[in-house]
Amino acid sequence: MLPLSYAVRNLFRVPARLCQLVLGAALVIFLLMLASALSNGMDAVLRSSGSEHNVIVLGTGSEESVERSEIKASVPSLLAASVPGIKTVLGKPAVSGEIHYNGPLQAGTHPASQALIRGVTPAALLVHPEVQLLSGRFPRSGEVMVGKLAAHKLGLTEDDLALGKTITVAENPMRIVGIFHAPGTVMEAEVWADLSDMLAIGQRDTISCAVVRLDDATFDDVEIFTLQRLDLELAAMLESEYYAKLSSFYRPLRAMTWVTTCLVAAGAIFGGLNTLYAAFASRVREMATLQAIGYRRRALLLSLLQEGMLATLMGALVAAALALWLADGFAVTFSIGTFALEITPQVLGLGVLGGVALALIGTLPPAWTCLKPLLPAALRAS
Amino acid sequence: MKSTLRSLTAIVALALATTTHAADPALPASLLAEKAPKDAVSVVKARENAKPGEAVVLRGKIGGRKIALLPKFAMAVLADEKAITSCNDMPGDSCKTPWDYCCESPEKLSSSTATIQVRDEKGKILRTPLRGLGELKELSLVVISGTVDPASTKDNLIVNATSIFVEKP
């Protein structure tokens, strides 16, 4: 066996080549970590946005998107009266009639941007206990409360959506009276307004959905209600199921991220192969000499692999440092919300595994070419 | 030894039968009528005068929604036989789900359909599908006897069925 110091010394013999290998590997591993964090983050936010205790009642045919759904405004009260076993808080049934509106929102002199505005009543807090007011109070008519990540979603600063500021929703000025958070859910990037205001702004007499929080009742009980009331044309879905479906809707987007990463990785592997082929080709005689003095091919292959592995693991270290410094906590916006990237130990572990794979794929073919020639021919190699 | 084994087998069989029964409550044997009850009225006619708690005899076709026979519950949607036309009765129509009456307007559909459901003795809707009861399927012509459910309104007729007669095609 050749000592590890031999591989280390060889690695640092040409610093420019080492830099090229380390940076190439770092780029690929950094992208791998980003793709993994993005995919995990999007999945997590959609998974935790839906509760298994909540049932969304929406219009038939609109099960894919609550924004397109329209149901009668009387549905929440009918549900509360007809389905026994709905959760009650201080005697009030936890049934929230909501409007999910995607429309223009303007803050100050900034240009208007598309915002997710949820028209709600105070009952919304009974069905979404994740929502907690950080400051201010629940909005009344002409007022809104904004999620902690709403500013980022809208491309604004937190100051633009501070308490007391006025925003314009579809040309209607509204004062910010509350700031809330709902950690890890899409609601954190939303703006919540009074339900009646949103009925007026949307010029509609229907709401988007009713969210029911179950206690003794089961999903079947709510579903039976929707099936009995043919006149209301309702469909029921577990909230968790709704967001799981949304998650599958974003699968192509996540696949694109992985495809991009794979393409960049392929480019980097070919670049690395090229560099190592050139580097190892000039060492054919050196390897032959080592064989002549008694080292076996297997030991030499291992030493070459150690070199490749050390270079890519240094790349992994650089990538991990970059990911923790630049990407951890970075807020990513997608059409229905915002989430923060998290560089978890799993993501870092995936980066290290990627580094090992990169080293094996990048080192083995050039090493094979270097060690393949017969000893007499290799000793005469220039 | 033999008798112990036999007893054990009997206990296991009994336990299995009880579990199966609890998970899949069967439809009452009396639900399937052998003869069509007399004085049946159409769905539209029934909707005009139905009052919660009253006895009613309805005649209609299973249909009016894409899922007209519910897979999880003893519930079905009954469409008026004459007031609305299913897609298969429209010349040249090749609809794959003719029982959904998709060619009718939502308003007409809503005013010409009723919900049929079967409750157990405790008043709970049975968690057993009606499909297959006397070869019941979509577009089957049926005569239902039952009572108008207390949740019925003038816009929505719900009937708690006590007997279902399925006409042979």
Side-chain angles (χ1 to χ4, degrees):
Chain A
M1 281 285 282
L2 282 162
L4 182 65
S5 57
Y6 180 78
V8 176
R9 270 205 312 275
N10 267 315
L11 200 59
F12 285 95
R13 215 160 50 176
V14 188
R17 191 182 67 205
L18 176 65
C19 269
Q20 192 186 343
L21 287 174
V22 169
L23 290 180
L27 174 71
V28 174
I29 296 165
F30 180 65
L31 281 176
L32 192 69
M33 287 176 175
L34 278 191
S36 170
L38 190 85
S39 183
N40 291 351
M42 195 178 277
D43 250 358
V45 79
L46 289 170
R47 210 172 39 241
S48 50
S49 293
S51 165
E52 288 191 351
H53 301 291
N54 284 357
V55 180
I56 304 184
V57 175
L58 28 69
T60 45
S62 306
E63 291 92 335
E64 307 269 302
S65 165
V66 71
E67 283 161 42
R68 282 209 307 267
S69 161
E70 287 193 52
I71 61 171
K72 284 187 179 171
S74 58
V75 170
S77 51
L78 287 171
L79 274 162
S82 312
V83 182
I86 288 176
K87 189 177 174 68
T88 54
V89 180
L90 297 172
K92 289 200 166 189
V95 183
S96 166
E98 299 179 358
I99 289 179
H100 292 231
Y101 175 84
N102 203 335
L105 182 149
Q106 193 177 18
T109 54
H110 294 280
S113 44
Q114 286 294 109
L116 277 159
I117 303 155
R118 201 184 283 228
V120 290
T121 62
L125 296 177
L126 306 181
V127 298
H128 303 296
E130 314 88 323
V131 173
Q132 289 173 346
L133 269 168
L134 294 175
S135 54
R137 59 176 170 77
F138 196 82
R140 292 193 282 256
S141 183
E143 298 170 343
V144 292
M145 66 178 192
V146 296
K148 213 172 150 232
L149 288 176
H152 187 274
K153 165 92 173 66
L154 299 168
L156 305 167
T157 62
E158 284 196 12
D159 271 355
D160 293 323
L161 295 183
L163 273 184
K165 291 268 171 84
T166 298
I167 57 170
T168 309
V169 177
E171 298 180 2
N172 294 275
M174 292 180 147
R175 203 160 68 86
I176 298 170
V177 296
I179 310 282
F180 69 91
H181 79 156
T185 71
V186 292
M187 289 179 281
E188 199 159 33
E190 292 180 354
V191 174
W192 283 21
D194 182 70
L195 183 67
S196 321
D197 284 354
M198 294 317 295
L199 283 168
I201 287 170
Q203 294 178 344
R204 55 195 284 176
D205 53 7
T206 57
I207 58 174
S208 305
C209 67
V211 184
V212 180
R213 192 148 184 98
L214 305 174
D215 191 3
D216 295 333
T218 61
F219 170 74
D220 284 354
D221 295 325
V222 181
E223 194 182 22
I224 284 174
F225 170 82
T226 64
L227 298 171
Q228 283 177 330
R229 294 302 304 256
L230 293 175
D231 55 327
L232 300 174
E233 303 202 9
L234 302 172
M237 277 179 101
L238 270 175
E239 201 180 41
S240 49
E241 196 186 318
Y242 174 76
Y243 282 103
K245 274 195 175 176
L246 271 189
S247 182
S248 62
F249 174 77
Y250 287 103
R251 205 171 287 151
L253 182 76
R254 292 202 295 272
M256 282 294 290
T257 321
W258 286 108
V259 168
T260 311
T261 306
C262 288
L263 287 175
V264 175
I269 285 170
F270 283 119
L273 277 174
N274 201 24
T275 311
L276 286 175
Y277 265 119
F280 290 174
S282 63
R283 291 169 63 188
V284 174
R285 197 150 58 169
E286 175 195 328
M287 292 296 132
T289 311
L290 287 168
Q291 281 186 67
I293 60 172
Y295 287 104
R296 303 180 76 174
R297 273 203 176 97
R298 202 186 306 156
L300 301 176
L301 177 68
L302 197 65
S303 179
L304 291 175
L305 267 178
Q306 281 172 344
E307 278 182 46
M309 202 72 81
L310 281 170
T312 52
L313 289 182
M314 273 194 264
L317 202 65
V318 173
L322 278 176
L324 286 168
W325 177 42
L326 297 173
D328 195 34
F330 182 78
V332 177
T333 300
F334 66 122
S335 63
I336 62 158
T338 298
F339 63 92
L341 285 183
E342 261 190 273
I343 306 297
T344 58
Q346 285 81 359
V347 172
L348 291 172
L350 183 75
V352 172
L353 280 181
V356 171
L358 215 55
L360 288 175
I361 300 168
T363 314
L364 279 177
W368 172 253
T369 315
C370 177
L371 297 171
K372 193 175 63 175
L374 292 171
L375 193 55
L379 281 169
R380 283 196 294 273
S382 55
Chain B
M1 184 69 183
K2 260 187 181 176
S3 62
T4 319
L5 267 175
R6 217 175 290 145
S7 312
L8 270 172
T9 317
I11 291 167
V12 170
L14 192 67
L16 277 174
T18 316
T19 322
T20 316
H21 182 75
D24 183 19
L27 295 168
S30 58
L31 186 64
L32 183 65
E34 286 180 6
K35 277 186 183 172
K38 285 178 181 170
D39 304 325
V41 294
S42 70
V43 175
V44 171
K45 187 82 181 160
R47 284 174 63 110
E48 285 171 10
N49 309 310
K51 288 186 183 71
E54 265 186 6
V56 65
V57 181
L58 278 175
R59 184 185 164 87
K61 271 184 182 178
I62 298 293
R65 286 287 183 280
K66 199 165 191 169
I67 301 173
L69 276 167
L70 299 170
K72 285 200 300 187
F73 309 106
M75 290 176 81
V77 184
L78 192 68
D80 193 288
E81 199 185 348
K82 292 186 179 128
I84 47 177
T85 312
S86 57
C87 306
N88 60 320
D89 286 339
M90 293 187 176
D93 198 291
S94 58
C95 181
K96 284 181 181 163
T97 52
W99 58 86
D100 64 5
Y101 290 72
C102 58
C103 302
E104 296 288 354
S105 69
E107 295 76 26
K108 189 122 192 239
L109 203 52
S110 186
S111 62
S112 312
T113 49
T115 304
I116 307 303
Q117 58 190 26
V118 182
R119 291 185 184 272
D120 62 13
E121 61 275 12
K122 288 178 187 161
K124 291 255 180 195
I125 291 169
L126 286 170
R127 259 75 167 164
T128 304
L130 288 172
R131 181 182 294 279
L133 176 82
E135 294 175 38
L136 187 72
K137 59 183 185 193
E138 288 87 356
L139 294 176
S140 291
L141 204 56
V142 293
V143 183
I144 312 275
S145 298
T147 53
V148 179
D149 191 85
S152 268
T153 63
K154 65 178 175 56
D155 298 323
N156 190 50
L157 175 63
I158 307 169
V159 175
N160 293 320
T162 48
S163 88
I164 299 175
F165 172 76
V166 186
E167 273 192 17
K168 298 278 177 262

